[in-house]
């Protein structure tokens, strides 16, 4: 198994390498020599919960590579939307860090080693080679279809098509922006299919590992059951919508979508979302209906709108200092949760 596959385990070639090695995950997780891969998989997920990385790679490429499919199984077994989201985010962000380090190494060595990632390799693996072309000086043009799909996951007005000089069905981007788009493609691939259906023998073999991750989730108060959701840490825009519902005021369609997609993306079940607005029966029923139709516990459904979209709908209200440094209401909530965790840890 190549070092490149271990560093970029989401690549098609890495998956094929695992298949070629005829690794049986059910057997592996039960064998003593599989313990290192399971431990590293737990570390991957645990690191994803604490930040934007999946941690340092294991010194053995085989262990590192095998830990990736096991980590995907683990997040599937824990099956918390916030964990799935953070995990995909951390895998993509780590891949980007490694990719940028590889690019710097190549620039220094003026060579393209087989163990380093390049933009061309990534584009080929994601079937984007025909959709992206270099125009020199770190400038690229991306076919509008893939651009819209990938940039749709990114925050910021600069990604809107209206701000780009679209020509001949292509959108101009700088190299750093192309890396943003590739990071989005990686996130999409990592999240694809999660949560996976997991056969019983594998689930049984990983029960201890799952327990470790669940404890870690509980410690960080990121568990997404109703008790762990902290409305007082919600961003001002969402708190304002909740207050409106609480006061018995009706909210318009964009507001209902923003509120319910925010709540369900925290993993809240439709009934729990309705309970959160208890006291406003009409609003509660409306929220229950909306949430049930946006997604469910297995599939959180649509992502809540970004801050830019909230501004466009007139829903961005009562901005505070933290709002100045976030581009998404979910990021605001994540930061407030992290701050609350840090404050709790410091007081202990
Ligand atoms: S800046 Fe973002 S998080 Fe803050 S109130 Fe506006 S939409 Fe909400």
């Amino acid at each position: 198994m190549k070092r490149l596959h271990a560093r970029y385990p989401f690549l098609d070639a890495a998956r094929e390498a695992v298949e070629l090695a005829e690794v049986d995950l059910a057997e592996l997780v039960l064998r003593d020599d599989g313990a290192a891969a399971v431990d590293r998989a737990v570390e991957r997920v645990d690191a994803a919960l604490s930040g934007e990385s999946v941690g340092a790679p294991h010194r053995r490429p085989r262990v590192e590579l095998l830990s990736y499919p096991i980590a995907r199984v683990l997040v599937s077994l824990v099956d918390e939307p916030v964990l799935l989201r953070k995990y995909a985010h951390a895998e993509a962000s780590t891949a980007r860090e490694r990719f940028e380090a590889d690019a710097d190494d190549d620039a220094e060595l003026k060579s393209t080693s087989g163990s380093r990632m390049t933009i061309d390799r990534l584009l080929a693996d994601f079937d984007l080679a025909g959709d992206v072309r270099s125009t020199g000086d770190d400038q690229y043009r991306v076919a509008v279809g893939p651009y819209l799909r990938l940039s749709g996951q990114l925050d910021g007005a600069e990604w809107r098509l209206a701000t780009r000089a679209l020509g001949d069905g292509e959108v101009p981007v700088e190299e750093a922006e192309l890396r943003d788009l590739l990071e989005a493609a990686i996130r999409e691939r990592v999240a694809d299919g999660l949560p996976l259906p997991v056969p019983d023998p594998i689930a049984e073999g990983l029960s201890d590992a799952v327990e470790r991750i669940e404890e870690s989730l509980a410690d960080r108060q990121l568990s997404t059951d109703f008790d762990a959701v902290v409305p007082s840490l919600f961003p001002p825009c969402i708190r304002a919508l909740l207050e409106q519902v609480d006061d018995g005021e009706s909210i318009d369609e964009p507001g209902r979508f923003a509120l319910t997609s925010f709540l369900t993306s925290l993993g809240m079940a439709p009934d729990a979302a309705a309970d959160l607005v208890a006291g406003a029966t009409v609003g509660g029923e409306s929220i229950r209906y909306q949430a049930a139709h946006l997604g469910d516990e297995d599939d959180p459904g649509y992502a809540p709108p970004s801050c830019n979209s909230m501004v466009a709908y007139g829903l961005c209200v009562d901005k505070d200092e933290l709002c100045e440094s976030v581009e998404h209401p979910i990021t605001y909530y994540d930061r407030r949760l992290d701050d609350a965790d840090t404050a709790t840890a410091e007081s202990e």
Side-chain angles (χ1 to χ4, degrees):
M1 291 179 186
K2 292 181 184 168
R3 181 173 168 269
L4 184 77
H5 299 156
R7 282 169 65 74
Y8 302 98
F10 52 83
L11 294 177
D12 277 343
R15 184 177 39 76
E16 281 160 20
V18 173
E19 281 169 11
L20 277 175
E22 294 185 354
V23 175
D24 183 329
L25 277 193
E27 279 180 25
L28 181 76
V29 299
L30 293 173
R31 285 196 325 240
D32 285 348
D33 64 347
V38 173
D39 283 346
R40 172 67 186 120
V42 172
E43 196 181 290
R44 275 190 118 91
V45 179
D46 211 27
L49 277 174
S50 335
E52 303 207 338
S53 153
V54 291
H58 194 278
R59 65 189 160 75
R60 288 164 53 203
R62 179 184 162 86
V63 169
E64 181 65 9
L65 175 55
L66 293 177
S67 70
Y68 173 72
I70 297 174
R72 279 171 52 88
V73 168
L74 288 175
V75 296
S76 300
L77 287 168
V78 175
D79 196 11
E80 289 279 7
V82 71
L83 176 62
L84 300 181
R85 183 168 54 79
K86 275 186 166 276
Y87 174 67
H89 188 86
E91 285 285 0
S93 155
T94 301
R96 182 188 184 137
E97 234 172 67
R98 293 178 182 171
F99 164 63
E100 290 185 338
D102 281 0
D104 289 347
D105 280 357
D106 268 348
E108 233 168 74
L109 299 172
K110 304 259 183 288
S111 71
T112 302
S113 151
S115 65
R116 295 198 184 90
M117 180 53 76
T118 63
I119 282 190
D120 287 346
R121 270 195 187 138
L122 263 186
L123 290 174
D125 198 83
F126 281 87
D127 281 336
L128 291 168
D131 296 318
V132 179
R133 65 186 177 92
S134 166
T135 53
D137 289 335
D138 296 340
Q139 303 291 318
Y140 293 82
R141 295 187 74 81
V142 182
V144 68
Y147 175 88
L148 286 175
R149 178 170 61 84
L150 297 173
S151 66
Q153 304 173 38
L154 302 171
D155 288 335
E158 71 273 21
W159 294 107
R160 285 195 202 133
L161 211 47
T163 66
R164 304 268 163 174
L166 175 70
D168 292 333
E170 293 176 324
V171 185
V173 298
E174 294 177 359
E175 183 163 323
E177 293 172 326
L178 180 60
R179 291 177 183 186
D180 289 339
L181 294 172
L182 284 168
E183 187 177 339
I186 296 168
R187 201 160 45 236
E188 191 179 74
R189 182 177 286 180
V190 172
D192 187 37
L194 294 181
L196 307 163
V198 182
D200 288 347
I202 298 181
E204 281 158 26
L206 289 172
S207 58
D208 287 349
V210 168
E211 209 172 299
R212 280 152 66 193
I213 293 168
E214 284 174 341
E215 279 168 15
S216 203
L217 256 176
D219 287 349
R220 289 177 171 83
Q221 290 197 315
L222 281 169
S223 172
T224 54
D225 61 23
F226 175 63
D227 289 340
V229 171
V230 192
S232 60
L233 302 183
F234 285 176
C237 49
I238 299 296
R239 285 206 307 272
L241 285 168
L242 280 171
E243 275 165 25
Q244 263 179 273
V245 174
D246 219 15
D247 291 344
E249 292 172 26
S250 66
I251 47 179
D252 60 10
E253 182 60 32
R256 281 203 301 274
F257 174 78
L259 181 55
T260 50
S261 57
F262 179 88
L263 295 175
T264 52
S265 80
L266 299 188
M268 211 182 263
D271 282 351
D275 288 345
L276 187 64
V277 291
T281 315
V282 173
E285 284 310 312
S286 166
I287 296 288
R288 193 188 305 271
Y289 177 85
Q290 280 269 332
H293 288 77
L294 277 171
D296 52 36
E297 286 157 280
D298 294 330
D299 175 5
Y302 296 100
S306 66
C307 293
N308 279 328
S309 303
M310 295 289 278
V311 171
Y313 288 125
L315 295 170
C316 171
V317 293
D318 305 332
K319 281 175 73 166
D320 62 17
E321 208 179 317
L322 180 54
C323 285
E324 302 301 333
S325 63
V326 301
E327 293 186 325
H328 204 290
I330 288 282
T331 314
Y332 180 106
Y333 182 62
D334 273 350
R335 294 251 188 99
R336 292 286 309 271
L337 270 182
D338 286 347
D339 291 348
D341 282 350
T342 309
T344 307
E346 282 172 359
S347 68
E348 284 171 356

